Amino acid sequence: VELEQVGIGRVLAHSEKSAVYMADGYARVTGRVGVCMAQSVGAANMAAALQDAFLHRAPILALTGRKPPTFRYRNAYQEIDHAPLYAPVTKLHADVSVIEELPLLLAQALRTAVSGSPRPVHLDLNGLQGEIIENALLDAPALPAAELGSLPRTPPSAQRASIEAATQALAKAERPVLVIGTGAMQAGAQAAVRAFAETLSIPIATSLGGRGIVPTTHPLHIGVVGTYSAPPTNELVHQADLVIFVGTHTGDQTTNNWTVPPPGCAIVQIDQDPLEIGRNYPSVVGVEGDPRLALEDLLAATSEQKPRRAWAEQAAAHYASWHRSMDPLRHSDDAPIRVERLCHEISRALPANGVLVADTGYSGIWTGTMVELEHPGQTYLRAAGSLGWAFAAALGAQVGAPDRPVLCFSGDGAFYYHLSELETARRRNIPLVTVINNNSAFGQGLPKVRQLYGNQPGDPDEIIRFGPTDFAAVARSFGVEGIRVEEPDAIRPALDKALAMRAPVLVDVVTDALPRAPEPWNPPS
């Protein structure tokens, strides 16, 4: 009741996982804490959904109810211990047993969610639906300061000694490369990255979470690095004699299982969270501090260094050559439609201030390698591994950015997870455009399953193919506009129509399941 009275929007979802994903999308697009709630029996579903936000570093406050202490250890209906469920996917789990604890723990939870590496936090409220806390009275409560709900506005600067060490490392490099990640995006480091790279002529690679830090058509941009990479990016980062990680968790996906860059490569790692520096590449020059401020300080210290123009031009030419080789596929008139053509049309249609939200698996690879983000005002959000995340997260992103057009890119296999939220989109009139890459299969796994069967008798498609489903008709049954696209020339008109409507619209694009997304380059054994 009080949420409504103070003007906080409430969105009823059809599952706890959808609610978390909506809060996740909201948090990522706004830089503010997303809040989701569930009663006790839904706590397990909510915990499972927090995995994606935890991996991506999104600040979320999850609130759940729990049965009173006198019910513990007595086989209470629908009750299990919540703490072990939330331990792997939160920075903080706390029980709120009495009302007097709520103001203190709420402030602590918000502070924890946005500090260091932003991540989810969890408060477990006394009562099946938290009602023991909800219905209690607190005299003159001290509400948490509003700024606790946002990423830090006064971020920490790096120590001068670490900037000097990074300057010396860069002075020795002839082939440096930047690898930009989620932390740089959260720090608002777009201008700092661009100024640093342009001044010193340093190629810019990104993780999926850092995609869009500069327009993908920028001459220094060389694509996404790692396991979801197009071939030239891994090659170029592997050739570098210095890699500067900026707000990037150096996990297996970004580093192609820690082979790109190779062990022994000189590395500078800039991160606000000291626990991330040297986690996977021990011999690094660490710069602890806000990525934006650190890059600005590093640029001031290195601005007299000679630009690496020859290396930058070599890298740009190598990346551009691969990009041109994809032109026949991007312009293919094949039907069923090739996904490369669909990505090309999305690149052309996405408005200059648009938000593109992509699911995991092939949706992440296709959009990470084949969709161009040509404008500085565009935003790219991607699933950190939870199939089905994108649709609900895109609804949350659209609520968080009501004046920006949001486009969701999802495979049909992923969309089945939460298609019930079409009703939520209609009920709340959330003007999200959802594009379904509808190939009636889990396309990423299709060749692997068939390869495992080999020449043996049987039906490999039984465990990898499904449908066909007309999702446009499904959308219309929910009261949402649905557009079916079966020919490549109809993609752009459908996207333009959908974006112009400023209403919930689903564009169902019938594609071919067989084309393979770009494969990453791997170093020789």
Side-chain angles (χ1 to χ4, degrees), residues 25 53 143 182 200 220 286 318 325-326 332 347 363 369 372 384-385 420 423 428 451 471 520:
L143 296 177
T182 300
L200 297 172
L220 290 171
H318 187 55
S325 73
M326 295 293 104
S332 170
S347 302
S363 292
T369 59
E372 299 295 342
S420 58
E423 189 279 329
R428 294 302 300 262
Q451 182 182 18
F471 287 102

Side-chain angles (χ1 to χ4, degrees), residues 185-271:
M185 299 293 287
Q186 292 174 329
Q190 288 86 341
V193 168
R194 187 165 184 163
F196 183 80
E198 290 177 348
T199 301
L200 297 172
S201 296
I202 300 179
I204 304 167
T206 74
S207 68
L208 272 179
R211 185 164 172 79
I213 192 77
V214 297
T216 59
T217 51
H218 190 285
L220 290 171
H221 179 263
I222 57 171
V224 172
V225 66
T227 56
Y228 278 18
S229 170
T233 311
N234 280 2
E235 290 183 271
L236 292 167
V237 175
H238 193 266
Q239 292 173 21
D241 60 1
L242 173 68
V243 174
I244 304 173
F245 287 107
V246 184
T248 309
H249 284 179
T250 54
D252 57 339
Q253 186 182 65
T254 301
T255 64
N256 198 44
N257 299 309
W258 302 286
T259 64
V260 179
C265 179
I267 290 173
V268 171
Q269 190 169 359
I270 301 172
D271 206 289

Side-chain angles (χ1 to χ4, degrees), residues 165 243 245 250 265-270 276-287:
V243 174
F245 287 107
T250 54
C265 179
I267 290 173
V268 171
Q269 190 169 359
I270 301 172
E276 294 305 323
I277 295 175
R279 181 188 290 270
N280 291 314
Y281 289 88
S283 301
V284 305
V285 174
V287 180

Side-chain angles (χ1 to χ4, degrees), residues 95 144 350:
D95 289 326
L350 188 67

